[in-house]
């Protein structure tokens, strides 16, 4: 069953505030190849520490276009905003360009597990290498999509 983000995310946030972990199946392809939308499930936990580069976080973020949306993307770097506060820069693993920005207050939780339908867990740590491969991602994603659909 698909639930709209404006209903789902506040409920996830409420459960995380109660110190519970939540599991759901995200949609979309922006986190390919690490999270297959509509297939893999993620487990999100409350964020009890500062987010670290490489973490996959659920946040309300602002894209370069000015559009605000809930995203489940990887933290790629931290910068200081005009007020001297940390600004967290996010990017989907399956995106070739485009970043979103959020503040600590906009972060709802972080992914602590990614599970395939067969119950096996995927590795969380490979995302840093994948980010470093940005110049090659276009071709790597084409190969991935081709072998995935074959």
């Amino acid at each position: 069953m698909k639930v709209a983000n404006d209903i789902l995310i506040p409920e996830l946030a409420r459960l995380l505030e109660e110190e519970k972990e939540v599991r759901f199946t995200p949609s979309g392809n922006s986190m390919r190849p690490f999270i297959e939308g509509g297939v893999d499930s993620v487990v999100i936990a409350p964020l009890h520490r500062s987010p670290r580069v490489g973490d996959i976080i659920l946040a309300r973020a602002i894209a370069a276009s000015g559009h605000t949306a809930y995203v489940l993307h990887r933290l790629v770097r931290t910068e200081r905003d005009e007020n001297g506060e940390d600004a967290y820069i996010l990017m989907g693993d399956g995106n070739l360009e485009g970043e979103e920005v959020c503040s600590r207050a906009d972060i709802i939780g972080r992914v602590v597990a990614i599970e395939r339908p067969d119950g096996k867990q995927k590795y969380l740590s490979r995302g840093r290498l994948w980010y470093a491969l940005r110049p090659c991602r276009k071709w790597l994603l084409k190969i991935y999509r081709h072998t995935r659909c074959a």
Side-chain angles (χ1 to χ4, degrees):
M1 172 171 79
K2 190 168 182 166
V3 178
N5 279 348
D6 59 340
I7 296 169
L8 176 66
I9 304 298
E11 183 61 18
L12 293 177
R14 183 187 68 76
L15 292 169
L16 290 165
E17 285 174 11
E18 293 176 2
E19 298 297 317
K20 297 178 181 173
E21 289 186 347
V22 295
R23 174 188 314 269
F24 74 102
T25 302
S27 61
N29 296 317
S30 66
M31 283 302 290
R32 269 185 167 173
F34 297 100
I35 301 172
E36 280 294 325
V39 176
D40 296 330
S41 62
V42 296
V43 178
I44 299 183
L47 187 64
H48 293 296
R49 58 166 172 75
S50 292
R52 297 180 186 142
V53 170
D55 285 348
I56 301 172
I57 59 176
L58 176 63
R60 180 178 163 90
I62 302 170
S65 65
H67 177 75
T68 301
Y70 291 108
V71 296
L72 185 69
H73 284 173
R74 192 173 306 274
L75 175 60
V76 295
R77 70 181 179 282
T78 304
E79 297 176 351
R80 293 282 179 183
D81 66 14
E82 61 276 355
N83 299 321
E85 301 291 324
D86 285 337
Y88 299 100
I89 314 303
L90 312 175
M91 184 179 198
D93 290 341
N95 295 345
L96 299 175
E97 58 185 31
E99 297 174 331
E100 301 89 18
V101 180
C102 69
S103 68
R104 175 65 179 89
D106 295 321
I107 297 174
I108 298 163
R110 75 179 176 93
V111 172
V112 294
I114 304 168
E115 293 182 359
R116 299 185 330 203
D118 63 7
K120 292 184 180 177
Q121 288 198 358
K122 292 184 174 184
Y123 294 100
L124 289 173
S125 61
R126 294 184 178 162
R128 288 186 185 147
L129 172 62
W130 184 249
Y131 183 72
L133 293 172
R134 275 181 325 216
C136 305
R137 268 201 235 186
K138 179 178 182 178
W139 296 282
L140 294 171
L141 285 168
K142 278 186 178 185
I143 292 167
Y144 175 78
R145 283 191 280 268
H146 179 72
T147 59
R148 185 99 176 125
C149 297

